[in-house]
Every structure is written in structure tokens, then in C-alpha cells.
């Protein structure tokens, strides 16, 4: 905010001028005499993120969000892809997808099986970054690995991808012997100078808490938990919360809970209804996004690498696309509120 008549520059902790500093603060609350000062300002310390060389005031910074669940098969990758495509086509956002899952389903969804295999054989995936570190070399700059304007949908023009590889399975097993640098900072070292060009960065994490996953969480501002509302899919949410709080403390960096996204929802299922009620009533669990993504053959078929014409045709015209679009709008609002500390 510009300084001037009646305006206060908002930057953070109150820093009064010498005259205001000499006046006592009222016992019943904050003293507002500093507002009379012509040099009044608020100073917010914008925290430097691990992937930044330095925190530059006013420089654009993306919302970096990991999608994560310790249970596989919960629609995590499809939800991540849908968020990215809708953010781009419907809201004009620049999105970077980071695929850390060795199954590379997200990579295949966005560039197809043939291109995915070509990237793997040509050493143009994130496996190359971790291989460099294990070989004692500085991790290569990931900017050279970014695949531009991915997605088979012509309407999606601003989604990029850092591709995954099955090689990450073996590399993850070897990460424990890495001694030249912190094993959880390899990805961050490769992303210096890459992320600032995006509005959103979505990280598709594998369903484990190994070192590859921790590399994704280490750069994340927050995390999203897609889950089916059944016992097996939701059982791991409390221990997951606890462990991420532990990692956040160990890394001295916040990892904010953004909420739980209900996927593959069946309204007629009494189990789904009961688990939803349990999730809503437990105040220790993350917020439930109000939009529930229905179980749908069309959403399942959306994983196919083909141009469906429109996103509505891709994800389903029976309300499925509208549910995903509503989720995306809520996701944007949630990140702006809950991740405001990092902007």
C-alpha cells in the first residue's frame, strides 16, 4: 500500500518512529499512537523458502501444495491433474506439476505413454536430479527438465511438468547413503530459480513417507489429502498429520494443512455417509472441503491421454466437472487464506 494521506503501509510488525516509541502502550490493549507518525509502517518478515536463493520483497511467489495420502488408489493423481487443468483453462493460472510418484501416472496423463517413455530413456525426468546427488554431483538445474504446455487438452495452455520415472524406486532405496547434503533437500537445490514463474505448484507424492516424498514436502507450503470416505483410506490421516507436524518442526518451516478432499464418493453408501460424519465431527482432523467428487466412470476415463474436446466432456457432464471446478475455486480461496504467511 502506498504511503500518503491517511494510508498505512502494511509490512508486518509495528515499527513506530522515535516519538511514538517513547509513549507507553495502554495496559488494556495495543497502543495506536504510532498511527500519528508520518513514518508509520508495518513490517512483515516474508520467510525465505528453501527453494529460493533469497527472499525478494514484492517478487511473485507460487502456492506450493503437495497432494498426499498414505493409501494408494484414492484418486490423488486424478485430482491433482484436474486441479491443474482447471486452474489453467478456467482461471488462467500458470501451474507446474511435479510428479514424484515412481508409478508416473501423472506424467502419463499429461504427456502420454510414448512421450513418458522417451523422457525416461533420455534422462529427462526427476530421477536424473536424485541420481546426480547420489553420484556426488550438484543436482542439475530442473529448468532443463521442465516439459512445457503439457496436457492433451487444447484448452489447457499453461501447465508445465517435471516428469517422474520408475527409476525413483531404486534411487529412493539408495538415498540413505547420501552424505554430501541433506537427503531431503535434493529437489529444492534443483528448483532454485524455477518456481517463481508459476502461480501454483502441485506436487504428486507417492503413498509413503520415504526420502523422495520428503523432498516434495520440504518445498511445500501446504498439503492436501484426497481420500475415499472409507475406513482404510482415512485411517492414516491422524498419524500423517502428526508426522508432518514433526517434519515441520525439524525443518523449521511450516507445512499447512489445507484440508481433505473427498473422492470417489457414493451418496448411497452408508459407509461413506458414516465416515463423512466421523470426519466432520473430529475437530483434530483437517477441514473437509465441502465439494465431494463423485465416483464416476468418466472421471476414471479422464486418465486417458486424449483431447476430449472440453474439460466438461473430459471429466463428466453429469455434474462431475462442475464438482471439480467448484473444488478448484475453493482450493484457490483456501490457499490465499491459509498460505498468506508465505506471500
Amino acid at each position: 500500500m502506498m504511503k500518503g494521506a491517511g494510508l498505512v503501509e502494511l509490512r508486518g510488525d509495528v515499527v513506530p518512529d522515535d516519538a511514538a516509541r517513547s509513549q507507553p502502550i495502554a495496559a488494556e490493549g495495543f497502543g495506536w499512537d504510532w498511527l500519528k507518525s508520518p513514518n508509520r509502517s508495518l513490517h512483515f518478515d516474508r520467510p525465505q523458502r528453501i527453494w529460493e536463493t533469497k527472499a525478494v520483497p514484492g517478487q511473485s511467489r507460487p502456492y506450493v501444495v503437495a497432494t498426499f495420502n498414505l493409501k494408494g488408489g484414492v484418486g490423488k493423481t486424478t485430482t491433482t491433474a484436474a486441479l491443474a487443468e482447471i486452474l489453467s483453462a478456467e482461471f488462467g493460472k500458470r501451474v507446474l506439476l511435479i510428479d514424484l510418484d515412481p508409478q508416473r501416472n501423472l506424467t502419463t496423463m499429461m504427456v502420454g505413454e510414448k512421450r513418458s517413455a522417451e523422457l525416461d530413456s533420455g534422462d529427462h525426468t526427476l530421477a536424473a536430479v536424485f541420481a546426480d546427488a547420489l553420484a556426488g554431483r550438484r543436482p542439475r538445474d530442473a529448468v532443463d527438465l521442465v516439459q512445457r504446455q503439457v496436457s492433451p487438452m487444447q484448452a489447457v495452455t499453461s501447465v508445465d511438468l517435471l516428469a517422474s520415472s520408475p527409476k525413483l524406486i531404486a534411487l529412493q532405496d539408495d538415498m540413505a547413503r547420501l552424505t554430501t547434503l541433506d537427503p531431503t533437500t535434493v529437489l529444492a537445490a534443483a528448483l532454485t530459480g524455477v518456481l517463481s514463474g508459476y502461480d501454483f505448484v502441485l506436487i504428486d507424492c507417492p503413498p509413503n513417507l520415504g526420502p523422495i516424498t520428503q523432498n516434495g514436502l520440504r518445498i511445500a507450503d501446504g498439503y492436501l489429502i484426497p481420500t475415499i470416505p472409507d475406513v482404510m483410506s482415512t485411517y492414516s490421516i491422524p498419524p500423517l498429520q502428526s508426522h508432518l507436524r514433526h517434519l515441520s518442526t525439524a525443518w523449521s518451516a511450516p507445512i499447512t494443512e489445507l484440508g481433505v478432499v473427498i473422492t470417489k464418493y457414493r451418496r448411497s453408501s452408508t459407509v461413506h455417509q458414516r465416515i463423512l460424519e466421523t470426519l466432520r465431527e473430529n475437530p483434530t482432523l483437517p477441514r473437509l472441503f465441502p465439494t465431494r467428487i463423485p465416483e464416476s466412470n468418466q472421471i476414471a476415463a479422464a486418465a486417458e491421454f486424449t483431447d476430449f474436446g472440453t474439460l466438461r466432456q473430459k471429466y463428466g457432464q453429469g455434474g462431475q466437472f462442475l464438482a471439480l471446478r467448484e473444488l478448484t475455486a475453493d482450493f484457490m480461496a483456501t490457499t490465499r487464506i491459509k498460505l498468506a504467511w508465505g506471500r
Side-chain angles (χ1 to χ4, degrees), residues 26-211:
E28 64 272 13
F30 186 81
W32 290 99
D33 288 339
W34 64 277
L35 282 171
K36 301 173 183 177
S37 167
N39 298 318
R40 58 191 177 270
S41 64
L42 293 171
H43 294 273
F44 283 110
D45 290 329
R46 184 168 109 149
Q48 181 177 339
R49 304 304 283 156
I50 190 172
W51 49 267
E52 292 179 309
T53 53
K54 61 180 179 178
V56 180
Q59 186 179 56
S60 174
R61 178 187 273 177
Y63 298 102
V64 184
V65 177
T67 54
F68 187 38
N69 194 323
L70 289 174
K71 174 72 167 59
V74 297
K76 171 179 59 66
T77 297
T78 303
T79 301
T80 305
L83 284 172
E85 291 189 318
I86 295 171
L87 282 168
S88 171
E90 295 287 311
F91 298 100
K93 302 300 182 183
R94 301 161 298 169
V95 184
L96 174 66
L97 290 171
I98 299 180
D99 189 359
L100 289 179
D101 195 329
Q103 296 182 75
R104 71 179 182 190
N105 290 335
L106 181 61
T107 297
T108 303
M109 283 184 68
M110 304 310 291
V111 300
E113 291 186 9
K114 180 181 178 181
R115 181 58 179 158
S116 181
E118 290 173 351
L119 291 172
D120 198 17
S121 62
D123 225 17
H124 281 84
T125 73
L126 286 171
V129 169
F130 293 98
D132 283 345
L134 287 167
R137 300 186 294 268
R138 175 179 172 79
R140 69 189 62 186
D141 192 338
V143 70
D144 298 325
L145 303 177
V146 175
Q147 305 305 304
R148 309 288 178 181
Q149 296 185 358
V150 298
S151 172
M153 305 296 294
Q154 291 187 15
V156 178
T157 60
S158 55
V159 176
D160 295 345
L161 170 74
L162 283 169
S164 185
S165 164
K167 296 172 185 174
L168 287 175
I169 298 173
L171 291 168
Q172 174 153 272
D173 292 339
D174 292 337
M175 291 291 285
R177 64 179 175 83
L178 188 61
T179 58
T180 54
L181 74 164
D182 183 337
T184 68
T185 65
V186 174
L187 181 60
L191 292 175
T192 300
V194 176
L195 303 189
S196 58
Y198 297 94
D199 300 307
F200 289 87
V201 177
L202 304 180
I203 309 165
D204 189 26
C205 295
N208 61 61
L209 277 166

Side-chain angles (χ1 to χ4, degrees), residues 212-256:
I212 299 294
T213 301
Q214 290 190 35
N215 270 265
L217 295 171
R218 190 74 189 264
I219 66 169
D221 300 325
Y223 66 96
L224 201 64
I225 306 176
T227 186
I228 302 170
D230 61 28
V231 175
M232 297 302 293
S233 301
T234 58
Y235 180 78
S236 65
I237 292 178
L240 173 60
Q241 289 177 281
S242 176
H243 193 72
L244 290 188
R245 283 193 291 265
H246 167 75
L247 291 178
S248 177
T249 301
W251 295 333
S252 299
I255 310 174
T256 303

